[in-house]
Amino acid sequence: MSNALNHIRESAWRTFEVDGLPSSRDEDWKYTDLSRIAAVLGESWWSAEAGEAVSADDYLIPDLNAYRLVISNGVVDLAASEIPDAITITPLAALLQDDPDAAVELMLDDSDAPFASGVTALNSARASDGYCICVASNVKLDRPLHILHLSSGGAAHIRTGITIGNHAELEIIEHFAGSDSAAGVTNSLTAIRLAAGAKCEHYRLQLESGKQWHLGRVEVNQKADSSYTLHAVELGSALSRVDVVDDLNEPGAESELNGLFVLSGRQHVDHHTRVAHEAPHCRSRENYRTVLDGRSHAVFNGKVVVAKGAIKTDSAQSNANLLLSNRAEIDTKPELEIYNDDVKCAHGATVGQLDKNQLFYLKSRGLSEEEAKQLLTFAFADELLAKMKSRAVRRYIERAAFAKLPNLSGLEGILV
Amino acid sequence: MIKIENLHVSVGGKEILKGINLEIGDGEVHAIMGPNGSGKSTLSNVIAGRDGYEVTQGSITYKGKDLLEMRPEERAWEGIFLAFQYPVEIPGVNNTYLLKAGVNARRKHQGEQELDAMEFMQLVKEKAKLVELDQSFLSRGVNEGFSGGEKKRNEIFQMAVLEPSLALLDETDSGLDIDALRIVAKGVNTLRAANRSIVMVTHYQRLLDYIKPDVVHVLADGQILKSGDASLALELEERGYDWVRAEAHV
Ligand SMILES: Nc1ncnc2c1ncn2[C@@H]1O[C@H](COP(=O)(O)OP(=O)(O)OP(=O)(O)O)[C@@H](O)[C@H]1O
Ligand SMILES: [Mg+2]
């Protein structure tokens, strides 16, 4: 391992040792308590052992015609992958040999970055593996890339660096899943750089086992006229915290962040997003929806920051939440920080229950109370899924979410 | 078919229906007319089972059973259908699949085989033709973005597919253009049958030119003040409601 990389890791580890995990005293972690992680996973939870590895074949998305990169318990598994020729995918070990500077850049720990914490420091310090994806200018991959993160418990600290060149296009499906044979933690950090005119459609599907804690971070850096779309879906895991940091650094950049949580039992999911308009004429859209049953708890904190020079900013954000149980809980906080007058910004959050008129209408047509409730719930969630261009992914998520709402099994196909 | 006796209904503590007596035989078509706010929709909603209404006195017997004991979906399974005065938009829920779920829930309840996708589509196509509903409406969200008249036509389409025993049409004629009114009326007439009763709530005698009722009732002040044959509607059109009230309260 290169000295520079060793240095990064050691210094990140010192940061972690000094700062520890974020606590509820930290404003950004007010609602999400990681302190129990040691009680659940053991004292040295960051290096917890995985159970027996699972097979990628059991976690494929039906009808998805895609290239595949498999990350098994935090380590790139090229043998199980199908890598396209048109782009390069380089695991950390190969990077260290061929391009040590790139390896260092990939693994850097920036403790000044928004939402940086002991979690991100650990990702550098204890990285189980990392890899870079590089899409050269003007390349448009003919199929999406399915990045399948499989866990069978244990700790996986995985680092992903994606560079998309001028006017290149990439569709990725980051998919987190696995077995519940052992408890574990996933700590995933994905940094995406979009050059001028580049496009990225990013599905981030969190369907981990109920014994897996999920910690994620997505960093996006956008140049002129680039376009980034995120579909963040939260269905699995006992506790999930994901931070999204999107910087619109040059004029004409566009971003769309869509988030859907469907939670039950005692699931806890917290997303903090920060969209920074640093340049004029950029556009951002953010739509988060949550469906909360049982004693689940969701946190949405969406911040939009518009810099002084970012005139003609066009930004809209909305967060709608549906509580199916009076023991479920949502904490939502849209935040706007605007440093110039020439902008168009809108944001809003709603918390609601199902519409009584719609419920009665469905029942009067012969649906049972439970079916009617779940159908309306699902229709609410599905409006977000409708934004997905990939039919295969959409159907897959619909099924998985349907499965969490037990009375809908006979109603497949009822959604528009 | 249905027998309503001394029905008193309150909403939020205020009495709206004050002793309704109404009996509708198999295959009969009844029209209910009356001033705004007199309780026509309240009556329809109570029959269909909407909550928020308190029945303080009286009874409704439907096909020999106590209707008020049944949940709304059970009433649907037993053949009650309400065409809403204000049809509800349900974005994201497919118009046709909703009907399929409804039809099959009812068939299941009655111990019949559920329709498969092919049989159902055939039924839907046939009924859409009957009310001249464009195929494109079938795949849209329930009433989503439909115009006022399209919503009403969709209600009649749903009725045609669900083939109820007792259909309550709450102002289905309001908001329809002249051609649509004729089409809807044709649809309703086609559905007239010896084992199907129809109640039409309307403000306009015009509808009754197309669908000739057996009985016309005047519902005012929470009571049925007068009943008569089709000619009563003509008289109401000419003279309004005050004379009925005057006659009833002497
Ligand atoms: N949920 C409610 N809360 C309070 N008042 C109600 C409610 N529903 C109905 N009412 C009142 O009950 C009365 C009867 O209403 P209803 O809708 O049955 O009248 P209608 O005869 O159908 O009138 P229209 O011809 O205008 O459709 C009205 O005064 C109405 O305001
Ligand atoms: Mg009415």
Side-chain angles (χ1 to χ4, degrees), chain A residues 347-393:
Chain A
H347 69 177
T350 59
V351 179
Q353 270 126 24
L354 295 170
D355 183 285
K356 284 210 166 68
N357 289 324
Q358 292 181 337
L359 272 177
F360 176 62
Y361 192 87
L362 293 175
K363 289 191 283 184
S364 77
R365 299 306 182 242
L367 266 60
S368 72
E369 169 96 14
E370 276 307 304
E371 283 175 337
K373 274 187 178 166
Q374 297 202 346
L375 183 57
L376 288 181
T377 302
F378 210 81
F380 167 84
D382 206 52
E383 271 185 271
L384 254 192
L385 298 181
K387 294 176 188 286
M388 294 183 168
K389 291 194 191 86
S390 166
R391 268 200 100 67
V393 173

Side-chain angles (χ1 to χ4, degrees), chain B residues 223-235:
Chain B
Q223 286 183 320
I224 301 226
L225 295 187
K226 193 175 178 65
S227 301
D229 61 15
S231 66
L232 176 58
L234 285 169
E235 199 171 355

Side-chain angles (χ1 to χ4, degrees), chain B residues 26-89:
Chain B
D26 290 359
E28 290 179 0
V29 174
H30 289 220
I32 298 180
M33 303 182 78
N36 292 132
S38 60
K40 303 179 299 295
S41 293
T42 301
L43 179 62
S44 312
N45 286 331
V46 168
I47 296 173
R50 188 194 283 259
D51 57 17
Y53 298 94
E54 197 195 344
V55 176
T56 52
Q57 265 189 72
S59 66
I60 306 180
T61 313
Y62 171 71
K63 291 183 179 171
K65 292 182 198 160
D66 181 358
L67 186 74
L68 296 174
E69 283 298 303
M70 292 154 69
R71 287 177 280 131
E73 63 269 30
E74 286 175 319
R75 301 181 195 200
W77 300 339
E78 291 286 341
I80 287 184
F81 177 86
L82 170 64
F84 285 56
Q85 182 174 2
Y86 304 109
V88 181
E89 293 199 22

Side-chain angles (χ1 to χ4, degrees), chain A residues 60-67 143-146 171 173 390 392-393:
Chain A
L60 300 182
I61 295 175
D63 302 322
L64 178 69
N65 182 16
Y67 297 105
R143 289 192 263 156
L145 176 65
H146 183 197
E171 179 181 345
I173 300 142
S390 166
V393 173

Side-chain angles (χ1 to χ4, degrees), chain A residues 270-381:
Chain A
D270 175 350
H271 276 211
H272 271 58
T273 68
R274 182 182 194 274
V275 177
H277 282 262
E278 301 287 355
H281 297 281
C282 291
R283 180 180 194 272
S284 68
R285 290 290 177 268
E286 188 164 10
N287 285 291
Y288 264 71
R289 287 196 172 188
T290 76
V291 174
L292 308 175
D293 201 357
R295 304 178 68 163
S296 62
H297 185 187
V299 182
F300 171 70
N301 185 296
K303 192 173 200 171
V304 176
V305 183
V306 182
K308 200 156 189 274
I311 54 160
K312 306 289 178 202
T313 286
D314 175 3
S315 169
Q317 187 192 66
S318 89
N319 169 230
N321 307 283
L322 201 53
L323 302 179
L324 298 182
S325 135
N326 49 20
R327 293 163 94 186
E329 209 180 310
I330 169 79
D331 288 288
T332 170
K333 189 174 174 195
E335 278 183 277
L336 267 176
E337 247 176 58
I338 305 177
Y339 297 99
N340 79 72
D341 295 332
D342 191 6
V343 300
K344 210 171 81 189
C345 289
H347 69 177
T350 59
V351 179
Q353 270 126 24
L354 295 170
D355 183 285
K356 284 210 166 68
N357 289 324
Q358 292 181 337
L359 272 177
F360 176 62
Y361 192 87
L362 293 175
K363 289 191 283 184
S364 77
R365 299 306 182 242
L367 266 60
S368 72
E369 169 96 14
E370 276 307 304
E371 283 175 337
K373 274 187 178 166
Q374 297 202 346
L375 183 57
L376 288 181
T377 302
F378 210 81
F380 167 84

